């Protein structure tokens, strides 16, 4: 059975430092980044290990160093030998105390799921100041032999089970091109690449490894509105089978922490228009009932309400299915009471790393003869923010919202087939290549359920727009 990262690195401790700290290629890239930073910069080392060589070099150069690692033993060693603030934390849930000038994630992205790799790169971008620097240390899939691993077509990576430092591990390897694409999609420009071979300084682990270091600089100010570059325009209006959509939404799960996040956005609003009917799914029936909520199951160009009736309008996952985005938003703004200090327009769409959208757009959309599938969510939100700004709602903020579709109740052997049909019926029912699409979905769904048994991630983005004068 594969060893998880926390167990693995707690056991390795100082041995890992001895094997990997003396890497000329890593030292050269670290020195390059140091030459770009002003003294006293805030720098985060993700997967800091014992703190050497990266955190130690940063601290010696006079920077404020923060380090996180999932292994408590590593954090203790780092804190004992490097000046800085070191914490046991998971990069997937951690939030840094300040905006960073640089983030290093060196050899720490092998043992999380492909969607989480994408997600944390976007998180790194959010943690960085504008013009901040990101350093990734990885290994390209080209370093694997033909017998190693299975290609995952959704994320363009290779999944492997192998032995590393005498322990069985489950690891991911993206191609060089895939890594560059992930960075660009999160709004980085590539400044430097270094690929080199390295033999660990360890008597029991002497296998030649190919290391790939990438330095990117944050270019786009709003990474959650990716993936970048944005397309020139929409592929066309998407279509959704509302009956199948309702069935899928019955599996939606929102943690209490995420409910609190959304509740904090809406807590002062008493009169709310819920377009799409998802408010009760996100907040729970009781919380939604405590507000004066009126619900429209779908978007309408003409909202049959008087002017300024609501404090807030929330529209969830419906921008894909609107012909006239400007006309719709004009109506939304009309029914908001802009004189209220609580006036808000809240739009919720898919995150750039949403597993469901990535799955459908990769496996089904190319085979479709009539449906564009889920649209580019970042383009929709970019377009909406520009239109809302023209209408006086120019103050916008973005918040990630983590939800999932839970399927714990179904443990049958054909679960992946059932889920393939459920997802496919939302966007691609009645397609000429329906059976081919369904078969192509089964293996990627099995991969997703391996990554996190019982559920598929459905990450979203909340865009909150406030009137300019508020």
């Amino acid at each position: 059975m594969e060893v998880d990262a926390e167990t693995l690195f707690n056991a390795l401790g100082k041995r890992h430092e001895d094997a990997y700290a003396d890497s000329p290629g890593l030292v050269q890239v670290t020195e390059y980044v140091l030459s770009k930073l002003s003294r006293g910069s805030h720098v985060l080392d993700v997967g800091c290990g014992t703190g050497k060589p990266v955190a130690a070099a940063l601290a010696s150069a006079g920077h404020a160093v923060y380090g996180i690692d999932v292994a408590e033993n590593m954090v203790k060693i780092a804190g004992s030998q490097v000046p800085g603030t070191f914490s046991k934390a998971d990069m997937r849930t951690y939030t840094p105390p300040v905006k960073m000038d640089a983030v290093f994630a060196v050899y720490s992205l092998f043992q999380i799921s492909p969607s989480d790799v994408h997600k944390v790169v976007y998180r790194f971008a959010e943690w960085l100041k504008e013009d901040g620097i990101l350093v990734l240390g990885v290994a390209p899939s080209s370093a694997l032999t033909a017998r190693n691993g299975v290609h995952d077509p959704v994320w363009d990576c290779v999944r492997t089970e192998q032995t590393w430092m005498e322990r069985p591990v489950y690891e991911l390897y993206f191609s060089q091109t895939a890594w560059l694409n992930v960075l660009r999609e999160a709004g980085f420009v590539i400044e430097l690449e270094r690929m080199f071979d390295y033999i660990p300084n360890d008597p029991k682990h002497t296998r030649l490894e190919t290391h790939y270091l990438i330095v990117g600089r944050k270019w786009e100010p709003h990474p959650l509105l990716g993936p970048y570059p944005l397309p020139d325009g929409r592929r066309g209006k998407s279509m959704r089978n509302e009956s199948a959509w309702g069935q899928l939404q019955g599996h939606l799960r929102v943690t209490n922490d995420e409910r609190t996040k959304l509740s904090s956005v809406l807590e002062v609003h008493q009169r709310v228009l819920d377009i799409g009917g998802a408010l009760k799914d996100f907040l729970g029936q009781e919380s939604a009932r405590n507000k004066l909520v009126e619900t429209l199951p779908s978007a309408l160009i003409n909202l049959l309400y008087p002017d300024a009736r609501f404090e807030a309008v929330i529209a969830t996952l419906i921008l894909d299915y609107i012909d006239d985005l400007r006309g719709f938003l004009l109506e939304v703004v009309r029914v908001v009471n802009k004189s209220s200090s609580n006036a808000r327009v809240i739009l919720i769409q898919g995150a750039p790393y949403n597993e469901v959208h990535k799955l459908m757009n990769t496996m089904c959309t190319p085979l479709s003869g009539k449906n564009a599938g889920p649209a580019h969510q970042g383009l929709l939100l970019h377009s909406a923010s520009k239109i809302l700004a023209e209408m006086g709602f120019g103050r916008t903020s973005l918040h990630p919202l983590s939800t999932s579709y839970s399927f714990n109740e179904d443990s049958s052997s054909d679960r992946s087939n059932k889920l393939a049909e459920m997802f496919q019926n939302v966007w691609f029912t009645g397609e000429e290549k329906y059976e081919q699409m369904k078969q192509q979905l089964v293996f990627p769904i099995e991969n997703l359920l391996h990554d996190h048994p019982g559920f598929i991630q459905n990450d979203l983005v909340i865009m909150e727009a406030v009137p300019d004068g508020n």
Side-chain angles (χ1 to χ4, degrees):
M1 184 176 180
E2 297 92 4
V3 179
D4 64 84
E6 182 176 358
T7 302
L8 174 64
F9 287 99
N10 269 324
L12 288 175
K14 196 75 162 53
R15 178 186 170 191
H16 185 265
E17 176 188 315
D18 295 339
Y20 287 92
D22 187 21
S23 169
L26 177 55
V27 170
Q28 289 171 10
V29 170
T30 303
E31 289 176 347
Y32 169 83
V33 175
L34 287 172
S35 72
K36 303 294 182 180
L37 294 175
S38 302
R39 188 175 178 84
S41 293
H42 290 85
V43 187
L44 175 64
D45 188 2
V46 178
C48 61
T50 65
K52 293 184 178 180
V54 173
L58 295 166
S60 295
H63 300 300
V65 174
Y66 301 80
I68 61 170
D69 202 287
V70 293
E72 182 71 36
N73 189 30
M74 290 296 201
V75 170
K76 289 180 179 178
I77 296 172
S80 71
Q81 62 183 9
V82 179
T85 303
F86 296 93
S87 310
K88 181 182 184 300
D90 188 322
M91 70 182 84
R92 295 168 293 186
T93 55
Y94 172 78
T95 300
V98 296
K99 283 281 190 178
M100 296 291 163
D101 295 284
V103 172
F104 284 72
V106 177
Y107 314 141
S108 55
L109 300 178
F110 290 102
Q111 292 178 285
I112 59 177
S113 71
S115 63
D116 280 345
V117 168
H118 282 246
K119 184 175 182 176
V120 297
V121 171
Y122 280 88
R123 287 174 66 81
F124 298 159
E126 291 180 74
W127 299 346
L128 284 165
K129 299 175 183 177
E130 290 192 28
D131 206 39
I133 296 173
L134 174 64
V135 182
L136 295 186
V138 298
S141 57
S142 58
L144 300 173
T145 66
R147 297 189 305 276
N148 288 135
V150 178
H151 182 255
D152 184 332
V154 174
W155 305 99
D156 189 21
C157 67
V158 175
R159 297 166 174 265
T160 72
E161 296 178 17
Q162 57 183 314
T163 300
W164 181 77
M165 297 195 86
E166 299 96 63
R167 280 120 173 135
V169 293
Y170 183 84
E171 294 184 328
L172 294 174
Y173 291 80
F174 291 81
S175 68
Q176 182 178 359
T177 299
W179 277 118
L180 295 177
N181 286 340
V182 171
L183 283 165
R184 288 170 180 145
E185 287 174 1
F188 291 93
V189 292
I190 310 303
E191 281 198 356
L192 181 73
E193 297 175 72
R194 288 287 184 271
M195 192 177 297
F196 53 90
D197 290 334
Y198 180 76
I199 299 177
N201 182 24
D202 186 276
K204 295 182 179 180
H205 183 69
T206 58
R207 184 178 66 205
L208 180 70
E209 299 176 352
T210 299
H211 293 185
Y212 179 38
L213 297 176
I214 319 166
V215 178
R217 190 175 290 273
K218 183 176 176 179
W219 181 255
E220 296 288 350
H222 305 298
L224 283 174
L225 296 185
Y228 297 98
L230 297 177
D232 294 335
R234 292 174 63 176
R235 296 175 305 213
K237 177 185 174 183
S238 300
M239 295 176 286
R240 186 171 73 188
N241 181 315
E242 293 302 322
S243 175
W245 174 248
Q247 181 184 3
L248 180 60
Q249 290 303 100
H251 293 269
L252 185 71
R253 298 293 180 268
V254 185
T255 66
N256 289 334
D257 286 346
E258 295 303 289
R259 289 189 196 279
T260 300
K261 182 186 297 184
L262 186 54
S263 293
S264 67
V265 175
L266 286 169
E267 62 183 352
V268 296
H269 304 91
Q270 288 304 308
R271 188 175 290 277
V272 179
L273 176 60
D274 173 19
I275 302 176
L279 197 56
K280 67 179 186 302
D281 296 328
F282 288 119
L283 294 184
Q285 191 73 41
E286 190 60 36
S287 297
R289 191 181 292 123
N290 291 335
K291 299 180 182 297
L292 297 174
V293 178
E294 297 195 39
T295 301
L296 289 175
S298 59
L300 301 172
I301 293 300
N302 296 307
L303 300 178
L304 303 179
Y305 298 102
D307 294 355
R309 179 178 178 85
F310 302 98
E311 284 185 316
V313 175
I314 178 170
T316 306
L317 294 170
I318 51 89
L319 299 187
D320 306 57
Y321 315 106
I322 296 172
D323 283 317
D324 182 1
L325 182 60
R326 180 177 294 275
F328 168 70
L329 292 175
L330 185 64
E331 277 290 274
V332 166
V333 168
R334 180 184 66 78
V335 301
V336 174
N337 181 7
K338 290 180 282 295
S339 65
S340 169
S341 60
N342 299 325
R344 298 286 189 278
V345 173
I346 299 166
L347 305 176
I348 301 180
Q349 292 292 138
Y353 39 82
N354 183 289
E355 287 186 347
V356 177
H357 292 173
K358 185 77 172 178
L359 177 70
M360 304 311 294
N361 281 329
T362 303
M363 306 310 297
C364 293
T365 296
L367 295 173
S368 175
K370 59 182 181 181
N371 194 3
H376 189 294
Q377 305 293 290
L379 176 62
L380 290 174
L381 289 173
H382 264 288
S383 302
S385 66
K386 290 179 181 178
I387 294 169
L388 287 169
E390 294 171 9
M391 297 174 180
F393 282 70
R395 293 175 53 204
T396 58
S397 58
L398 300 165
H399 318 276
L401 181 67
S402 294
T403 74
S404 63
Y405 291 116
S406 175
F407 305 102
N408 286 328
E409 71 278 8
D410 183 359
S411 59
S412 62
S413 59
D414 65 340
R415 178 173 61 175
S416 295
N417 283 286
K418 291 180 180 178
L419 298 188
E421 186 170 338
M422 180 183 293
F423 284 118
Q424 187 179 354
N425 284 342
V426 175
W427 293 280
F428 299 103
T429 187
E431 288 275 354
E432 180 180 349
K433 297 183 179 179
Y434 181 90
E435 287 301 323
Q436 185 179 350
M437 289 181 184
K438 180 179 173 181
Q439 291 305 311
Q440 289 199 175
L441 285 173
V442 171
F443 175 65
I445 287 175
E446 289 175 351
N447 283 333
L448 292 174
L449 293 175
H450 177 275
D451 294 337
H452 30 68
F455 67 93
I456 291 178
Q457 293 178 349
N458 181 47
D459 287 291
L460 306 171
V461 174
I462 304 170
M463 188 175 80
E464 182 182 7
V466 179
D468 296 329
N470 285 13

